[in-house]
């Protein structure tokens, strides 16, 4: 049987990671650096030159710690490298890269006619007369502009790590029903008025997926039906055989933070979006939905429909990606501690970088990804 090594521990224990612990366990066989690095002869960039720009991701302390790197060009892996203790069979946690998967899954249901982008989001708790949350649409949620009072990180509002909504929802008093916790938050702005990045928003979308697929409140039914949907519409068509979505106790897919997959599987998802929702000639997700995901939202040019974009953000917000060193058509799924799937359609590139770099130290690593991608030609 094919073995998959795990670079994670269950969600309850991952609470420690949110507070600064390493958050994973690995028992991979030891390999030499030569066995862990690969650059194809078919690379359009000289192998030595490419190796020289990939190596700092693993060897420069300013970029520590990269654990996996995969570079696909024109649909083929042309470079791949792993840190000590990790290899092509290791599953890595997605953190917030999962949000982009959730955005794609919502697209399938919109394409099926089961959800409507600009209709009020079908959340029962918001349907009482006079509840302002009843005006929140799927578009608002996908653009992180719901207006709900969600605090993503403890630095906001002076809250401690134990008071931030993300940690409370996933690990503390909200963990038994993360969706109910997220949906119960009051409004702090009108829907569509304010951008606020929020894992709780993606959990609400995940709950909407489950409610659309089944009317049953039974956690096992919700989990079963959602997992069958994720596998049948996304994982199996894309050949993502290693990918494991995690679920909460109430059967809700934890689509803001918890997918586990190999670096190669994450690259397949990036390629899927690079090809506008198609794989091997079959159109799975409508081109129009992928275009929506890649289009700037009203309140932040660098954020689309649960995808980050290579564009400058408004003053006062942390910049993402590398808008001064690449086309604005580059987009990415990004996650805590430097998880990245970065895609450049014009260059026919998908880059995956996985590891553990503190969020305040991400700039050198992200800039290096930009330098790697800048070596490749643009499609004429």
């Amino acid at each position: 049987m094919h073995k998959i090594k795990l670079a994670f521990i269950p969600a309850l224990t991952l609470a420690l990671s949110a507070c600064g612990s390493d958050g994973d366990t690995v028992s991979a066989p030891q390999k030499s650096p030569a066995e862990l690095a690969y650059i194809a002869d078919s690379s359009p960039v000289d192998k030595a030159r490419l190796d020289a720009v990939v190596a700092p991701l693993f060897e420069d302390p300013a970029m520590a710690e990269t654990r996996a790197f995969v570079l696909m060009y024109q649909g083929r892996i042309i470079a791949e490298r792993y840190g000590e203790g990790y290899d092509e069979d290791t599953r890595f946690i997605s953190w917030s890269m999962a949000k982009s998967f959730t955005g794609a899954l919502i697209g399938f249901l919109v394409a099926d006619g089961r959800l409507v982008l600009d209709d009020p989001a079908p959340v029962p708790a918001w349907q009482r007369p006079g509840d302002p949350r009843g005006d929140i649409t799927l578009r608002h949620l996908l653009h992180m502009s719901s207006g709900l009072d969600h605090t993503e990180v403890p630095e906001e509002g002076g809250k401690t790590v134990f008071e931030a909504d993300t940690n409370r929802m996933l690990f503390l008093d909200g963990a038994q029903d993360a969706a109910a916790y997220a949906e119960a938050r009051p409004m702090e702005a009108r829907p569509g008025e304010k951008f606020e990045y929020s894992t709780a928003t993606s959990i609400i979308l995940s709950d909407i997926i489950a409610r659309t697929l089944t009317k049953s409140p039974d956690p096992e039914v919700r989990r079963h039906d959602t997992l069958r949907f994720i596998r049948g519409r996304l994982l199996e068509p894309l050949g993502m055989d290693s990918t494991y979505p995690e679920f909460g106790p109430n059967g809700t897919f934890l689509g803001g933070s918890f997918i586990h997959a190999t670096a190669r599987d994450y690259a397949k998802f990036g390629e899927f979006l690079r090809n506008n929702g198609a794989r091997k000639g079959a159109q799975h997700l409508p081109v129009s939905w992928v275009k929506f995901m890649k289009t700037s939202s009203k309140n932040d040019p660098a954020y689309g429909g649960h995808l980050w974009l290579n564009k400058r953000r408004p003053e006062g917000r942390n910049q993402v990606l590398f808008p001064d060193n690449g086309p604005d058509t580059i987009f990415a799924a990004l996650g805590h501690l430097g998880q990245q799937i970065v895609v450049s359609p014009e260059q026919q590139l998908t880059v995956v970088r996985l590891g553990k770099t503190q969020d305040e130290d991400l700039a050198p690593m992200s800039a290096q990804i930009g330098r790697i991608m800048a070596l490749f030609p643009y499609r004429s």
Side-chain angles (χ1 to χ4, degrees):
M1 181 179 292
H2 183 63
K3 291 185 178 179
I4 293 286
K5 287 168 283 297
L6 305 181
F8 73 97
I9 44 184
L12 186 60
T13 310
L14 278 169
L16 298 175
S17 182
C19 299
S21 180
D22 193 29
D24 57 27
T25 56
V26 176
S27 57
Q30 300 301 305
K31 295 185 178 183
S32 70
E35 292 178 292
L36 295 170
Y38 161 80
I39 296 177
D41 293 332
S42 59
S43 170
V45 177
D46 177 77
K47 291 176 68 173
R49 189 181 182 196
L50 184 54
D51 180 65
V53 293
V54 171
L57 292 175
F58 293 85
E59 299 167 12
D60 185 342
M63 303 181 198
E65 162 191 357
T66 297
R67 296 171 175 176
F69 175 84
V70 172
L71 172 61
M72 296 189 73
Y73 175 67
Q74 296 183 336
R76 303 187 314 277
I77 294 176
I78 63 165
E80 185 171 21
R81 181 168 174 174
Y82 295 91
E84 185 175 349
Y86 306 89
D87 61 24
E88 67 276 9
D89 291 330
T90 306
R91 274 188 181 137
F92 298 88
I93 188 169
S94 65
W95 292 117
S96 286
M97 294 193 303
K99 292 177 172 65
S100 298
F101 286 75
T102 299
L105 293 170
I106 289 288
F108 287 117
L109 295 174
V110 171
D112 293 347
R114 304 180 73 175
L115 292 173
V116 179
L117 185 60
D118 289 309
D119 276 1
V123 177
W126 298 348
Q127 306 312 312
R128 293 169 296 188
D131 192 328
R133 297 174 300 183
D135 294 329
I136 299 170
T137 66
L138 285 178
R139 186 188 298 270
H140 294 143
L141 293 166
L142 288 159
H143 282 167
M144 296 292 183
S145 298
S146 69
L148 291 166
D149 182 11
H150 288 154
T151 300
E152 178 72 3
V153 294
E155 288 78 13
E156 297 179 7
K159 293 185 177 182
T160 70
V161 68
F162 300 107
E163 295 173 302
D165 288 315
T166 304
N167 294 329
R168 288 184 60 188
M169 176 184 68
L170 295 176
F171 308 121
L172 300 171
D173 52 309
Q176 287 301 307
D177 192 338
Y181 178 95
E183 291 161 4
R185 299 296 295 162
M187 300 292 286
E188 66 174 3
R190 294 170 56 187
E193 184 177 76
K194 175 186 177 183
F195 176 88
E196 182 153 9
Y197 182 82
S198 161
T199 295
T201 299
S202 302
I203 293 294
I204 293 170
L205 288 167
S206 299
D207 183 48
I208 289 171
I209 291 171
R211 291 180 185 276
T212 303
L213 295 172
T214 177
K215 301 303 181 185
S216 174
D218 182 270
E220 193 54 40
V221 174
R222 285 166 57 86
R223 181 187 181 280
H224 174 271
D225 287 4
T226 303
L227 184 57
R228 182 174 63 179
F229 170 71
I230 294 172
R231 285 175 172 166
R233 299 299 290 273
L234 188 66
L235 304 185
E236 291 174 5
L238 271 58
M240 297 176 65
D241 300 329
S242 81
T243 303
Y244 172 77
E246 194 167 342
F247 291 78
N250 74 322
T252 301
F253 165 47
L254 298 176
S257 305
F258 293 134
I259 290 175
H260 308 276
T262 63
R264 292 178 180 180
D265 267 13
Y266 286 127
K268 290 175 183 177
F269 180 69
E271 282 288 291
F272 176 64
L273 295 181
R274 183 178 74 82
N275 288 296
N276 291 310
R279 184 172 189 262
K280 294 185 176 180
Q283 191 70 44
H284 298 282
L285 190 61
V287 173
S288 60
W289 187 260
V290 181
K291 181 179 179 181
F292 162 74
M293 292 181 71
K294 296 188 295 183
T295 300
S296 293
S297 59
K298 182 179 71 173
N299 296 317
D300 195 321
Y303 202 78
H306 265 44
L307 273 180
W308 288 100
L309 312 177
N310 195 37
K311 298 180 181 181
R312 290 214 154 268
R313 305 189 71 195
E315 186 176 353
R317 297 180 188 172
N318 293 332
Q319 296 300 320
V320 298
L321 298 177
F322 29 85
D324 296 326
N325 191 28
D328 63 6
T329 51
I330 288 176
F331 60 88
L334 302 177
H336 179 50
L337 301 179
Q339 319 317 314
Q340 298 193 347
I341 305 169
V342 187
V343 180
S344 179
E346 292 182 39
Q347 296 168 282
Q348 304 174 82
L349 289 176
T350 292
V351 178
V352 173
R353 184 273 183 186
L354 306 167
K356 184 193 175 189
T357 302
Q358 296 303 317
D359 289 355
E360 61 270 21
D361 299 324
L362 289 177
M365 182 274 293
S366 184
Q368 192 67 18
I369 297 293
R371 294 185 193 102
I372 293 168
M373 299 180 77
L375 295 177
F376 286 80
Y378 289 82
R379 186 165 44 187
S380 58

